[in-house]
């Protein structure tokens, strides 16, 4: 597939603080490409350089063959941007916002079908102040798509939304891609990245620490599997740490999490419990996920 975004040795610093330290990657046409990283990893600076909002110190960025900084007026006609933090005048109505933003472009979508696709038809006369959080996010997506872009940047799309609204947003992102638009998104929800992204870049300290499909990243981790179960009141836990495939055991009052490796890990623990005559409840296994990959690569320390 054709590359629609090419980043080569992109670098940006603020005084002595290096925000982006020479990153390189390519985004293909028609994919949902994600970028994740801890707070302060350089995500916002990197995406602003791609959108033409910030000038890099070194390296190159090409979006649809154009330089986002020197060709930003021409590029603005062909991309859509949903910023991490956005707002509109409280009394501005939904339909008015679409007409206003549409007037900025030579090419614009019909607001009617766009509102229908985003579930906002019955809100076209509502003011921005009267919209719920999810409706405001859908409106910002509509504004990012009003010029029928070839590439759309979605920055922390679902922050602050409830689980139902978040899942609805996922469906909208897939629909945007299915309509022929390449999607570049940033998120701090690992479940969101795992479900949505065709490929995922993990950024830390301004550097690319991993880039692959979510499935390939999870396979590469070779992480511990987890077996979680509860013990009835009064039941003592057996010594499972000595089993060959068990790495460690964590226990909170009557709930145990056993970590281990190998195909027979789960069965070996279950057999040991049965041989010891130990009753157990709510047994379940947990496979490694993208959050495990993220923590393994970036660490667990708190960051501002």
């Amino acid at each position: 597939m054709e590359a629609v975004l090419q980043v080569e040795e992109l670098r940006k610093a603020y005084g002595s603080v290096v925000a982006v330290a020479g990153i390189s990657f390519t985004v293909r046409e028609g994919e949902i490409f994600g970028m994740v990283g801890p707070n302060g990893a350089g995500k916002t600076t990197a995406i602003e350089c791609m959108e033409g909002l910030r000038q890099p110190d070194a390296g190159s960025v090409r979006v649809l063959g154009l330089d986002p900084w020197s060709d930003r007026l021409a590029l603005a006609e062909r991309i859509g941007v949903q910023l991490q933090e956005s707002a509109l005048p409280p009394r501005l109505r939904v339909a008015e916002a679409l007409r206003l933003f549409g007037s900025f472009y030579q090419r614009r979508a019909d607001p009617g079908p766009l509102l229908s696709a985003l579930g906002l038809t019955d809100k076209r006369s509502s003011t921005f102040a009267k919209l719920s959080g999810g409706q405001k996010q859908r409106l910002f997506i509509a504004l990012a798509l009003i010029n029928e872009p070839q590439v759309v940047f979605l920055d922390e799309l679902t922050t602050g939304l409830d689980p139902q609204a978040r899942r609805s947003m996922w469906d909208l992102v897939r629909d945007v891609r299915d309509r022929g638009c390449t999607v570049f998104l940033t998120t701090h929800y690992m479940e969101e990245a795992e479900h949505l992204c065709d490929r995922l870049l993990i950024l830390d300290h301004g550097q690319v620490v991993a880039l692959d499909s979510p499935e390939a990243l999870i396979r590469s981790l070779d992480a511990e599997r987890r077996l979680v179960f509860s013990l009835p009141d009064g039941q003592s836990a057996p010594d499972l740490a000595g089993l060959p495939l068990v790495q460690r055991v964590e226990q909170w009052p009557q709930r145990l999490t056993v970590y281990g490796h190998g195909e027979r890990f789960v069965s070996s623990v279950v057999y040991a419990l049965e041989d010891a005559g130990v009753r157990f409840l709510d047994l379940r296994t947990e496979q490694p996920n993208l959050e495990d990959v993220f923590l393994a690569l970036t660490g667990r320390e708190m960051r501002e």
Side-chain angles (χ1 to χ4, degrees):
M1 292 182 288
E2 182 182 353
V4 297
L5 171 60
Q6 294 175 300
V7 177
E8 297 289 343
E9 295 298 323
L10 174 64
R11 180 181 173 85
K12 181 66 179 179
Y14 303 102
S16 61
V17 178
V18 178
V20 181
I23 65 174
S24 300
F25 62 92
T26 300
V27 177
R28 306 187 196 91
E29 181 180 10
E31 71 176 339
I32 300 176
F33 186 95
M35 181 168 64
V36 301
N39 292 336
K43 302 188 301 298
T44 297
T45 295
I47 198 171
E48 287 179 349
C49 289
M50 299 172 218
E51 295 165 343
L53 300 177
R54 198 172 296 276
Q55 186 176 21
D57 295 332
S60 68
V61 179
R62 292 293 181 272
V63 183
L64 300 169
L66 300 174
D67 183 314
W69 185 257
S70 60
D71 302 320
R72 57 185 178 276
L73 293 180
L75 185 61
E77 292 284 339
R78 302 173 63 186
I79 66 171
V81 176
Q82 176 263 325
L83 299 174
Q84 184 174 348
E85 295 184 9
S86 302
L88 292 172
R91 293 188 177 182
L92 186 67
R93 300 185 185 276
V94 169
E96 292 172 340
L98 286 168
R99 286 196 298 271
L100 174 64
F101 276 66
S103 69
F104 301 154
Y105 302 101
Q106 297 179 16
R107 175 178 173 174
R108 63 188 69 92
D110 184 345
L114 193 55
L115 288 173
S116 177
L118 293 168
L120 291 172
T121 300
D122 61 342
K123 297 294 180 181
R124 61 183 306 124
S125 298
S126 299
T127 63
F128 180 75
K130 295 294 185 181
L131 300 179
S132 68
Q135 290 164 349
K136 288 177 180 178
Q137 289 289 64
R138 294 204 298 273
L139 174 57
F140 289 129
I141 293 179
L143 297 177
L145 299 176
I146 192 63
N147 60 326
E148 298 184 330
Q150 295 168 262
V151 181
V152 64
F153 294 90
L154 305 175
D155 193 4
E156 301 289 358
L157 176 67
T158 62
T159 297
L161 299 185
D162 59 61
Q164 184 180 27
R166 186 175 299 125
R167 293 292 178 130
S168 177
M169 285 296 170
W170 296 358
D171 292 337
L172 289 175
V173 171
R174 294 189 188 99
D175 182 62
V176 169
R177 188 268 309 275
D178 292 344
R179 288 198 278 169
C181 185
T182 302
V183 178
F184 187 106
L185 65 86
T186 68
T187 180
H188 64 269
Y189 295 112
M190 293 303 104
E191 182 187 15
E192 181 167 287
E194 189 171 341
H195 278 78
L196 278 181
C197 297
D198 298 304
R199 289 191 301 139
L200 187 68
L201 180 153
I202 300 179
L203 194 69
D204 194 24
H205 297 295
Q207 298 180 325
V208 177
V209 296
L211 173 56
D212 212 327
S213 68
E215 297 81 8
L217 290 172
I218 293 170
R219 286 196 304 269
S220 69
L221 182 61
D222 191 27
E224 298 169 317
R225 299 172 66 188
R226 298 183 289 271
L227 184 65
V228 183
F229 60 91
S230 299
L231 298 174
D233 291 340
Q235 176 76 71
S236 299
D239 181 15
L240 299 174
L243 296 177
L245 300 179
V246 172
Q247 304 296 311
R248 57 195 172 96
V249 178
E250 294 177 353
Q251 181 174 358
W252 299 268
Q254 296 301 109
R255 189 162 190 80
L256 281 82
T257 301
V258 185
Y259 298 82
H261 288 277
E263 294 182 3
R264 300 195 61 209
F265 158 65
V266 173
S267 60
S268 68
V269 173
V270 172
Y271 290 151
L273 293 172
E274 291 178 340
D275 289 345
V278 174
R279 294 174 54 221
F280 51 87
L281 306 171
D282 305 324
L283 180 77
R284 74 174 189 271
T285 59
E286 296 180 354
Q287 302 298 324
N289 56 30
L290 197 56
E291 185 170 321
D292 296 312
V293 176
F294 182 83
L295 292 174
L297 294 174
T298 64
R300 296 173 179 265
E301 70 272 18
M302 189 71 71
R303 304 191 191 181
E304 296 297 331

